[in-house]
Amino acid sequence: MSKQDLVREVETFMLERVIPTEAEHHHQMQEASNRWTYTPVMRELRAEAKAKGLWLFPIPEELGGRGLTLTEYAPLCEIMNWCNHGPEMFNCYTGTISNTTAMAKHAPKQLQDKYLKPLADGDIRSCISITERNVPSSDPTDLQFDIKREGDEYVLNGVKSWATGGAMDECQFYLVLGATDINAARHARHSMVLVPREAKGLSLGRIETVLGYDDAPFGHCDLIFDNVRIPVANLIGNEGEGFLMMQSTLGVGRIQLGMGAIGAAERAMREMCSWVETRMIGGRPLVDRQVVTDAIARSRIEIDACRAFILQTTERMQAEGMKAVRGEIAQLKVLAPEVALKVLDRAMQFHGGAGLSYDTPIAEMWAHMRTVRIGEGADEVHRDTIAKLELRRQAAWREANGQ
Ligand SMILES: Cc1cc2nc3c(=O)[nH]c(=O)nc-3n(C[C@H](O)[C@H](O)[C@H](O)COP(=O)(O)OP(=O)(O)OC[C@H]3O[C@@H](n4cnc5c(N)ncnc54)[C@H](O)[C@@H]3O)c2cc1C
């Protein structure tokens, strides 16, 4: 299948299978006696997508993926995010992609044999566990979670929070970042270990809500570790390299996040345009007001400019590596959710009450998109990076030009 055909297939699957079953998924979720597992319709769609080869797009073919390059994957990220749970239908949730990548690159063979294939096959799920409620986790070099070596084992103590998907029945392991040497240099304190779901001393704590949504069936929960013992062989990569390893898997995730925001904005645009053309107010359609056409035009300009910037950054990242586009990645991390939130907000406003309800996906998409301004580095952290790079660039310019 050519890459063009693949784009068309994903579009068709979203339009014919995922979007028309959104309401059914919500209904099944409301009726479910267990909210922490896939709904029947999700299971059905995942099986269908997998059978069609629409699966794990950026992961190498030998692991069951499609081996797409970053530039090939980026347009698919937009399309999959026409719906909040879209990426999951293709086993392309960001956490699954980054954990699969980290496991394939850094996990010892016996862990790969046990966990990697079922994860890639979609038979199990996993979770990345970094955040601690009592530590400002925007800067993971401050994390306190204790991982102590005792002979052939690591002993884990502490509480992790906001573990997305951690409470799902399908979640069979956690990749946990904790301090193996709290006195080492900031970037060498932490290590990544794999903790099996069934580990003794590990229990699930409270489940968070996001602006009132529990985000079932994935959810975000506390993980409580009380003298959890795991073999040293469960170390991913090397001791003290957890932070750097985590940073190195961020690239694909940033593009997925940026293009995902574009997908959400496009969905909002679609909902907004079809609504304003049919909603009759005062005997004429809502679209018949300049304030509405102005909002549509602004949205189109912002979406297209943002998409072009992300795609250009993706191409450069692929050609020159992540370091060369560090500033641009920080820019897109700030810009893309900002644009998506603006478009979603306009769509929400023109829908009136319907825009705040489950009648459209707009409110839920807005709630999800708002979290992106905080997770994976808050806006302020990325703006700080952008400003530092700019000041450096300006200083270099002054020096080069004798100013
Ligand atoms: C829906 C959702 C899902 C999540 N999923 C996961 C998950 O799967 N695994 C996981 O480990 N974590 C997850 N998280 C946690 C998330 O990564 C953290 O909330 C995020 O890193 C911010 O950390 P914090 O909450 O401790 O905020 P803090 O670090 O305390 O920051 C609070 C605020 O302080 C400001 N701030 C922070 N640093 C700076 C700075 N350098 N300069 C200026 N201002 C600053 C910002 O305004 C920031 O929002 C999730 C969070 C959400 C909301």
Side-chain angles (χ1 to χ4, degrees), residues 362-378:
I362 298 169
E364 199 179 12
M365 289 180 109
W366 190 93
H368 168 66
M369 199 45 62
R370 185 63 185 82
T371 71
V372 178
R373 294 191 48 209
I374 291 173
E376 293 194 36

Side-chain angles (χ1 to χ4, degrees), residues 40 43 133 136 159 163 260 270 275 306 310 314 316 363 368 379 384:
R43 272 181 222 287
R133 186 167 295 107
V159 177
R270 213 169 285 160
W275 173 269
C306 186
I310 301 172
T314 310
R316 282 196 54 209
H368 168 66
D379 284 359
D384 192 48

Side-chain angles (χ1 to χ4, degrees), residues 93 95 127-140 160-166 175 209-210 215 219-220 367-368 370-382 384:
Y93 162 63
C127 167
I128 178 88
S129 186
I130 298 165
T131 304
E132 295 163 29
R133 186 167 295 107
N134 298 329
V135 176
S137 302
S138 293
D139 181 359
K160 288 285 184 184
S161 55
W162 286 103
T164 299
L175 292 188
T209 53
V210 175
D215 287 353
H220 320 279
H368 168 66
R370 185 63 185 82
T371 71
V372 178
R373 294 191 48 209
I374 291 173
E376 293 194 36
D379 284 359
E380 292 85 345
V381 178
H382 292 289
D384 192 48

Side-chain angles (χ1 to χ4, degrees), residues 14-15 19 22 74-84 86-87 255-271 300 302-304 306-307 310-311 336-337 339-341 343-344 361-362 365-366 368-369:
M14 286 299 296
L15 290 174
I19 291 176
E22 275 174 334
L76 300 185
C77 296
E78 174 177 340
I79 299 163
M80 290 190 291
N81 280 280
W82 287 343
C83 159
N84 269 358
I255 299 304
Q256 183 153 354
L257 179 152
M259 290 303 285
I262 296 296
E266 283 291 359
R267 177 73 189 276
M269 180 71 123
R270 213 169 285 160
E271 297 288 330
R300 175 50 57 214
E302 287 158 5
I303 294 173
D304 285 356
C306 186
R307 181 196 289 108
I310 301 172
L311 292 177
V339 166
L341 282 166
V343 182
L344 282 160
I362 298 169
M365 289 180 109
W366 190 93
H368 168 66
M369 199 45 62

Side-chain angles (χ1 to χ4, degrees), residues 105-122:
K105 275 193 185 157
H106 304 290
K109 184 162 181 326
Q110 79 275 12
L111 289 184
Q112 290 184 348
D113 289 346
K114 186 162 179 192
Y115 294 103
L116 189 51
K117 187 165 183 329
L119 181 65
D121 283 348

